[in-house]
mmCIF file of all heavy atoms in Angstrom:
data_model
loop_
_atom_site.group_PDB
_atom_site.id
_atom_site.type_symbol
_atom_site.label_atom_id
_atom_site.label_comp_id
_atom_site.label_asym_id
_atom_site.label_seq_id
_atom_site.Cartn_x
_atom_site.Cartn_y
_atom_site.Cartn_z
ATOM 1 N N THR A 71 15.539 32.318 -27.754
ATOM 2 C CA THR A 71 14.459 31.331 -27.933
ATOM 3 C C THR A 71 13.155 32.027 -28.297
ATOM 4 O O THR A 71 12.406 31.572 -29.154
ATOM 5 C CB THR A 71 14.213 30.541 -26.621
ATOM 6 O OG1 THR A 71 15.463 30.311 -25.998
ATOM 7 C CG2 THR A 71 13.509 29.259 -26.880
ATOM 8 N N ASN A 74 13.412 33.394 -31.920
ATOM 9 C CA ASN A 74 13.320 32.291 -32.893
ATOM 10 C C ASN A 74 11.883 31.824 -33.043
ATOM 11 O O ASN A 74 11.402 31.565 -34.142
ATOM 12 C CB ASN A 74 14.165 31.099 -32.422
ATOM 13 C CG ASN A 74 15.642 31.328 -32.667
ATOM 14 O OD1 ASN A 74 16.018 32.238 -33.412
ATOM 15 N ND2 ASN A 74 16.475 30.533 -32.028
ATOM 16 N N ILE A 208 14.809 15.912 -25.504
ATOM 17 C CA ILE A 208 14.436 17.092 -26.265
ATOM 18 C C ILE A 208 15.419 18.199 -25.935
ATOM 19 O O ILE A 208 15.718 18.481 -24.793
ATOM 20 C CB ILE A 208 12.998 17.506 -25.966
ATOM 21 C CG1 ILE A 208 12.060 16.515 -26.629
ATOM 22 C CG2 ILE A 208 12.739 18.914 -26.485
ATOM 23 C CD1 ILE A 208 10.645 16.670 -26.229
ATOM 24 N N ASP A 209 15.931 18.757 -26.985
ATOM 25 C CA ASP A 209 16.953 19.768 -26.853
ATOM 26 C C ASP A 209 16.283 21.076 -26.432
ATOM 27 O O ASP A 209 15.507 21.636 -27.174
ATOM 28 C CB ASP A 209 17.596 19.866 -28.230
ATOM 29 C CG ASP A 209 18.614 20.936 -28.311
ATOM 30 O OD1 ASP A 209 18.638 21.796 -27.422
ATOM 31 O OD2 ASP A 209 19.381 20.898 -29.274
ATOM 32 N N THR A 210 16.570 21.541 -25.234
ATOM 33 C CA THR A 210 15.856 22.724 -24.747
ATOM 34 C C THR A 210 16.276 23.981 -25.505
ATOM 35 O O THR A 210 15.606 24.988 -25.461
ATOM 36 C CB THR A 210 16.088 22.963 -23.249
ATOM 37 O OG1 THR A 210 17.483 23.057 -23.029
ATOM 38 C CG2 THR A 210 15.503 21.857 -22.421
ATOM 39 N N ASN A 211 17.401 23.881 -26.173
ATOM 40 C CA ASN A 211 17.821 25.033 -26.958
ATOM 41 C C ASN A 211 16.925 25.190 -28.184
ATOM 42 O O ASN A 211 16.704 26.279 -28.686
ATOM 43 C CB ASN A 211 19.275 24.840 -27.403
ATOM 44 C CG ASN A 211 19.841 26.116 -27.971
ATOM 45 O OD1 ASN A 211 19.650 27.171 -27.402
ATOM 46 N ND2 ASN A 211 20.503 26.004 -29.098
ATOM 47 N N ASN A 212 16.426 24.054 -28.631
ATOM 48 C CA ASN A 212 15.604 24.068 -29.831
ATOM 49 C C ASN A 212 14.138 23.840 -29.528
ATOM 50 O O ASN A 212 13.292 24.039 -30.367
ATOM 51 C CB ASN A 212 16.058 22.964 -30.797
ATOM 52 C CG ASN A 212 17.455 23.202 -31.290
ATOM 53 O OD1 ASN A 212 17.875 24.347 -31.418
ATOM 54 N ND2 ASN A 212 18.180 22.142 -31.547
ATOM 55 N N PHE A 213 13.884 23.383 -28.307
ATOM 56 C CA PHE A 213 12.511 23.044 -27.960
ATOM 57 C C PHE A 213 11.865 24.222 -27.266
ATOM 58 O O PHE A 213 12.403 24.770 -26.323
ATOM 59 C CB PHE A 213 12.483 21.839 -27.035
ATOM 60 C CG PHE A 213 11.088 21.465 -26.629
ATOM 61 C CD1 PHE A 213 10.238 20.866 -27.539
ATOM 62 C CD2 PHE A 213 10.627 21.747 -25.363
ATOM 63 C CE1 PHE A 213 8.949 20.525 -27.176
ATOM 64 C CE2 PHE A 213 9.340 21.418 -24.995
ATOM 65 C CZ PHE A 213 8.504 20.799 -25.912
ATOM 66 N N ASP A 214 10.721 24.584 -27.728
ATOM 67 C CA ASP A 214 10.057 25.702 -27.113
ATOM 68 C C ASP A 214 8.987 25.218 -26.152
ATOM 69 O O ASP A 214 8.051 24.549 -26.522
ATOM 70 C CB ASP A 214 9.448 26.574 -28.193
ATOM 71 C CG ASP A 214 8.759 27.724 -27.559
ATOM 72 O OD1 ASP A 214 9.234 28.149 -26.500
ATOM 73 O OD2 ASP A 214 7.758 28.173 -28.098
ATOM 74 N N VAL A 219 7.128 23.621 -30.173
ATOM 75 C CA VAL A 219 7.789 23.640 -31.467
ATOM 76 C C VAL A 219 9.230 23.148 -31.303
ATOM 77 O O VAL A 219 9.949 23.622 -30.435
ATOM 78 C CB VAL A 219 7.836 25.075 -32.039
ATOM 79 C CG1 VAL A 219 8.639 25.119 -33.333
ATOM 80 C CG2 VAL A 219 6.436 25.591 -32.284
ATOM 81 N N ILE A 220 9.618 22.164 -32.079
ATOM 82 C CA ILE A 220 11.010 21.711 -32.014
ATOM 83 C C ILE A 220 11.732 22.183 -33.264
ATOM 84 O O ILE A 220 11.288 21.967 -34.376
ATOM 85 C CB ILE A 220 11.085 20.178 -31.914
ATOM 86 C CG1 ILE A 220 10.353 19.711 -30.652
ATOM 87 C CG2 ILE A 220 12.524 19.704 -31.888
ATOM 88 C CD1 ILE A 220 10.212 18.223 -30.569
ATOM 89 N N ARG A 221 12.833 22.866 -33.053
ATOM 90 C CA ARG A 221 13.626 23.341 -34.182
ATOM 91 C C ARG A 221 14.936 22.580 -34.166
ATOM 92 O O ARG A 221 15.723 22.736 -33.253
ATOM 93 C CB ARG A 221 13.924 24.832 -34.031
ATOM 94 C CG ARG A 221 12.692 25.711 -34.019
ATOM 95 C CD ARG A 221 13.002 27.047 -33.357
ATOM 96 N NE ARG A 221 14.320 27.567 -33.738
ATOM 97 C CZ ARG A 221 14.549 28.215 -34.852
ATOM 98 N NH1 ARG A 221 13.584 28.467 -35.685
ATOM 99 N NH2 ARG A 221 15.766 28.646 -35.122
ATOM 100 N N ILE A 222 15.134 21.741 -35.151
ATOM 101 C CA ILE A 222 16.367 20.960 -35.146
ATOM 102 C C ILE A 222 17.455 21.784 -35.817
ATOM 103 O O ILE A 222 17.695 21.686 -37.011
ATOM 104 C CB ILE A 222 16.182 19.615 -35.873
ATOM 105 C CG1 ILE A 222 14.970 18.881 -35.307
ATOM 106 C CG2 ILE A 222 17.432 18.757 -35.741
ATOM 107 C CD1 ILE A 222 15.077 18.481 -33.855
ATOM 108 N N THR A 223 18.075 22.615 -35.045
ATOM 109 C CA THR A 223 19.154 23.411 -35.610
ATOM 110 C C THR A 223 20.492 22.991 -35.021
ATOM 111 O O THR A 223 21.514 23.065 -35.664
ATOM 112 C CB THR A 223 18.943 24.905 -35.343
ATOM 113 O OG1 THR A 223 18.683 25.063 -33.945
ATOM 114 C CG2 THR A 223 17.764 25.433 -36.136
ATOM 115 N N LYS A 224 20.475 22.557 -33.756
ATOM 116 C CA LYS A 224 21.719 22.134 -33.113
ATOM 117 C C LYS A 224 21.476 20.829 -32.380
ATOM 118 O O LYS A 224 21.215 20.828 -31.194
ATOM 119 C CB LYS A 224 22.162 23.174 -32.075
ATOM 120 C CG LYS A 224 22.647 24.477 -32.653
ATOM 121 C CD LYS A 224 23.055 25.375 -31.492
ATOM 122 C CE LYS A 224 23.124 26.809 -31.943
ATOM 123 N NZ LYS A 224 23.069 27.717 -30.800
ATOM 124 N N PRO A 225 21.511 19.703 -33.089
ATOM 125 C CA PRO A 225 21.255 18.443 -32.407
ATOM 126 C C PRO A 225 22.283 18.187 -31.317
ATOM 127 O O PRO A 225 23.425 18.609 -31.419
ATOM 128 C CB PRO A 225 21.338 17.411 -33.524
ATOM 129 C CG PRO A 225 21.972 18.085 -34.674
ATOM 130 C CD PRO A 225 21.818 19.547 -34.500
ATOM 131 N N HIS A 226 21.858 17.523 -30.262
ATOM 132 C CA HIS A 226 22.722 17.140 -29.157
ATOM 133 C C HIS A 226 23.286 18.317 -28.392
ATOM 134 O O HIS A 226 24.315 18.225 -27.755
ATOM 135 C CB HIS A 226 23.853 16.210 -29.617
ATOM 136 C CG HIS A 226 23.348 15.102 -30.442
ATOM 137 N ND1 HIS A 226 22.385 14.229 -29.990
ATOM 138 C CD2 HIS A 226 23.611 14.746 -31.728
ATOM 139 C CE1 HIS A 226 22.103 13.364 -30.961
ATOM 140 N NE2 HIS A 226 22.811 13.668 -32.014
ATOM 141 N N ALA A 227 22.654 19.441 -28.480
ATOM 142 C CA ALA A 227 23.044 20.549 -27.614
ATOM 143 C C ALA A 227 21.857 20.790 -26.708
ATOM 144 O O ALA A 227 20.797 21.173 -27.158
ATOM 145 C CB ALA A 227 23.349 21.786 -28.431
#
Side-chain angles (χ1 to χ4, degrees):
T71 322
N74 283 346
I208 287 170
D209 176 345
T210 56
N211 192 45
N212 296 329
F213 179 73
D214 180 32
V219 175
I220 300 172
R221 298 159 40 82
I222 308 296
T223 51
K224 290 181 198 161
H226 311 303

